Amino acid sequence: MAVLLLAEVTDGALAVDATAKAVTAAAALGEVTVLCAGASAKAAADEAAKIEGVAKVLCAEDAALSHRLAEPTAALIVSLAGDYSHIVAPGTTDAKNIIPRVAALLDVMVISEVTGVVDADTFERPIYAGNAIQTVKSGDATKVMTIRTAGFDAAGMDGSASVETIGAAADPALSEWVEDKVAESDRPELTSAGVVVSGGRGVGSEEDFALIEKLADKLGAAVGASRAAVDSGYAPNDWQVGQTGKVVAPDLYVAVGISGAIQHLAGMKDSKIIVAINKDEEAPIFQVADFGLVADLFDAVPELTEKL
Amino acid sequence: MKVIVPVKRVIDYNVKVRVKADGTGVDLANVKMSMNPFDEIAVEEAIRLREAGKVEEVVAVSIGVKQAQETLRTALAMGADRAILVVAADDVHTDIEPLAVAKILAGIVKEENPDLVICGKQAIDNDMNATGQMLSALLGWSQATFASEVNLDGDSAIVTREVDGGLQTIKVKTPTIISVDLRLNEPRYASLPNIMKAKKKPLDEKTPADYGVDVTPRLTVVSTSEPATRQAGIIVGSVDELVEKLKEAGAV
């Protein structure tokens, strides 16, 4: 068994955490070769070579591979696919863009967001936003999948794999990059943040969301919101946590003024520690919270911000 | 310009999912079903493009059980012009895999010759997030996934995409596949007169065999289980106690 793992490389830099976690999942399947692709990828390849459990690193540098456009990156992976039984990548937005395209080009079904490896053909993955876990067995010749990295520990950094330079595949030239806008916020990105503070309809207004943001900044947290808060115009849609928004699993999730509708719980119930602050003691959020505080958020949140 | 919008009939997002006792899947009998929320956004975008005069015809497509015609009637009531239903399963519990769906859609695209396919980025049942990318691969077209802004510009489309940590704007050659994310628009509700009108709009019925596609799954479901349940914790009496508990747990 041989595994090709597409490393997460952004503007020449390796996303070490996501890649090292995916290596842990991939190492259970066979010998791991990591592919680093980009306009510049050498530094990322050298870094990936240090991840324990990596047998070899392939480094493909080409202008067409910059910005991880799906068509040329998928073409590159397909050109290498013959040597591997499994093609995997950490479940980033880049990989979710590229990997299903690879699967269709190979005429195999993609297995998205794998959370557990049972054997070389059998995998666990969440469905219905994590409300059920499905175990699936693939009958395809090549297994093509993304890994939900939150459930795997990162491999160590004491490895020393060899790095081999390879060429890019022909660029289909179907798309071109225009620009990137990195979120202006100094806060961590919602889906990978260690701490998330979310506000719900109970916050009451867009202005009062500042209370949530202050607590988040005190904790070095990302800010989230329930769908009810988004629909009420209190928070932008890209803050939405839930089945129709983002699925998060931070070490600490603080839910403020959120009742705990099913669709919200689906997006945060895998968090390690959940804190709920709500004045309604009957709110369903308390059924999943490790620590619940029945209180008016307008008193409790500023006090908590001050005392932390 | 013609646009095809694939829509999927899924469990309503407000319904609590129940895993069947025999572990074969999620119980969908007598459960409220609706259009996949991301697909509603795709339908809305296609209709807005037609209202802006950039598109002449919006064709909604659904692949699944016969009851998916209700989902197509919703798309027609929102404003799609006509619909194609590909009946690929008898049992509401049969989920057609994205690869087979993409192959059927590729067959429809070859017959209909649209310039654009707009789809939801993922279905909230199987959460695969794959059909748009797979269709794009099968057609050899460009792809613009997770769109939060779409601007058609001659023989290309400028699409802003929601990516980890921010936004990426790309320019793709048409024909193209666009998969839509939450921020793109807010879908309209169908008005009662439009719901009545939708009943008279054309809805063709097809089968996978019409497109030469075998829908036999590549993935066998071994089991479906409930996720580990969370135990409710404790109710603390004050902010001070909360801070203390968080410190004890090593959370802050």
Side-chain angles (χ1 to χ4, degrees):
Chain A
M1 295 285 173
V3 186
L4 181 66
L5 189 153
L6 176 67
E8 179 72 5
V9 179
T10 308
D11 295 334
L14 181 73
V16 177
D17 187 63
T19 305
K21 285 175 173 170
V23 167
T24 299
L29 298 165
E31 191 177 84
V32 179
T33 299
V34 171
L35 170 64
C36 291
S40 77
K42 184 66 173 62
D46 288 342
E47 187 77 7
K50 294 181 199 160
I51 300 174
E52 281 170 44
V54 174
K56 189 162 89 174
V57 178
L58 303 177
C59 175
E61 293 191 320
D62 192 287
L65 296 170
S66 62
H67 309 294
R68 308 285 300 277
L69 293 173
E71 303 90 346
T73 311
L76 170 65
I77 296 171
V78 169
S79 75
L80 301 168
D83 295 335
Y84 302 95
S85 57
H86 297 74
I87 296 171
V88 310
T92 60
T93 47
D94 277 344
K96 289 175 190 174
N97 189 28
I98 295 163
I99 293 297
R101 188 177 181 97
V102 170
L105 291 172
L106 295 173
D107 192 27
V108 304
M109 186 48 205
V110 71
I111 310 165
S112 304
E113 303 258 348
V114 167
T115 52
V117 175
V118 178
D119 61 38
D121 306 319
T122 314
F123 308 94
E124 291 173 355
R125 58 180 302 273
I127 56 173
Y128 293 91
N131 283 305
I133 306 295
Q134 200 161 59
T135 305
V136 292
K137 187 176 171 70
S138 168
D140 283 322
T142 310
K143 280 58 168 172
V144 177
M145 67 188 86
T146 55
I147 306 290
R148 181 172 287 188
T149 51
F152 295 93
D153 294 327
M157 295 299 290
D158 282 330
S160 56
S162 61
V163 177
E164 183 186 322
T165 303
I166 59 166
D171 179 11
L174 292 166
S175 57
E176 54 188 278
W177 173 80
V178 178
E179 66 170 344
D180 285 333
K181 269 193 206 147
V182 178
E184 309 118 38
S185 159
D186 293 334
R187 298 191 187 109
E189 204 270 318
L190 184 55
T191 50
S192 58
V195 183
V196 174
V197 180
S198 289
R201 185 158 24 210
V203 177
S205 71
E206 192 180 353
E207 294 70 43
D208 287 328
F209 238 79
L211 286 177
I212 305 297
E213 294 177 54
K214 272 186 204 148
L215 176 57
D217 290 342
K218 188 71 179 274
L219 288 165
V223 180
S226 68
R227 181 172 176 145
V230 171
D231 285 349
S232 305
Y234 305 163
N237 207 358
D238 58 326
W239 287 4
Q240 191 187 145
V241 171
Q243 187 164 23
T244 53
K246 296 194 161 103
V247 176
V248 302
D251 296 328
L252 175 62
Y253 188 90
V254 184
V256 180
I258 291 177
S259 64
I262 293 156
Q263 90 93 22
H264 184 76
L265 299 183
M268 46 63 81
K269 67 183 173 47
D270 292 330
S271 306
K272 288 210 176 81
I273 294 179
I274 296 173
V275 172
I277 300 174
N278 201 305
K279 65 180 173 190
D280 174 12
E281 63 186 280
E282 302 291 321
I285 190 77
F286 289 121
Q287 290 162 22
V288 299
D290 298 281
F291 305 117
L293 178 62
V294 181
D296 186 331
L297 70 93
F298 295 99
D299 299 327
V301 173
E303 188 184 345
L304 181 61
T305 307
E306 191 196 311
K307 287 180 172 164
L308 278 169
Chain B
M1 183 184 277
K2 187 194 280 187
V3 180
I4 286 185
V5 185
V7 295
K8 187 174 186 183
R9 178 182 187 264
V10 299
I11 196 165
D12 187 88
Y13 77 91
N14 276 317
V15 173
K16 178 151 173 62
V17 169
R18 280 180 215 289
V19 173
K20 286 198 279 184
D22 63 2
T24 55
V26 162
D27 192 359
L28 297 177
N30 306 314
V31 169
K32 186 184 177 200
M33 305 294 279
S34 298
M35 189 189 299
N36 179 39
F38 291 104
D39 301 349
E40 285 185 332
I41 297 170
V43 173
E44 176 67 32
E45 192 65 16
I47 296 166
R48 287 187 191 186
L49 288 170
R50 196 192 55 211
E51 287 169 349
K54 294 187 172 167
V55 160
E56 281 86 48
E57 189 180 29
V58 176
V59 183
V61 177
S62 194
I63 296 158
V65 290
K66 192 138 189 156
Q67 293 91 318
Q69 65 171 273
E70 293 159 17
T71 315
L72 287 169
R73 291 291 173 202
T74 304
L76 293 168
M78 286 174 74
D81 297 291
R82 62 189 172 89
I84 300 170
L85 171 64
V86 182
V87 180
D90 298 324
D91 182 348
V92 294
H93 295 94
T94 306
D95 189 36
I96 309 298
E97 287 177 348
L99 181 63
V101 169
K103 286 179 178 178
I104 292 168
L105 289 172
I108 292 172
V109 164
K110 278 170 193 151
E111 279 185 9
E112 296 277 344
N113 286 308
D115 300 281
L116 200 55
V117 175
I118 307 181
C119 58
K121 77 163 180 179
Q122 79 189 65
I124 62 164
D125 51 4
N126 65 31
D127 282 334
M128 279 289 187
N129 187 340
T131 300
Q133 298 91 313
M134 291 188 133
L135 176 60
S136 173
L138 296 177
L139 294 169
W141 288 9
S142 60
Q143 69 184 51
T145 52
F146 325 145
S148 63
E149 195 181 337
V150 173
N151 288 297
L152 299 183
D153 177 22
D155 60 357
S156 61
I158 315 261
V159 178
T160 299
R161 309 176 51 237
E162 303 242 1
V163 296
D164 293 336
L167 299 171
Q168 180 188 56
T169 303
I170 58 171
K171 183 175 178 179
V172 291
K173 281 188 185 165
T174 52
T176 191
I177 316 279
I178 296 172
S179 89
V180 306
D181 216 320
L182 283 173
R183 262 202 288 187
L184 183 61
N185 61 47
E186 279 189 26
R188 69 193 68 189
Y189 291 101
S191 66
L192 190 60
N194 285 341
I195 291 169
M196 301 309 288
K197 254 192 260 174
K199 291 182 180 169
K200 293 190 180 117
K201 289 185 179 176
L203 190 155
D204 283 346
E205 213 174 288
K206 301 277 194 178
T207 67
D210 293 335
Y211 305 99
V213 176
D214 176 5
V215 298
T216 309
R218 304 291 189 87
L219 304 179
T220 311
V221 176
V222 179
S223 66
T224 308
S225 58
E226 298 268 3
T229 48
R230 277 192 95 91
Q231 297 284 331
I234 55 162
I235 297 289
V236 295
S238 66
V239 169
D240 287 320
E241 193 186 343
L242 176 59
V243 171
E244 191 185 312
K245 292 287 180 195
L246 286 174
K247 283 185 178 155
E248 272 172 27
V252 291

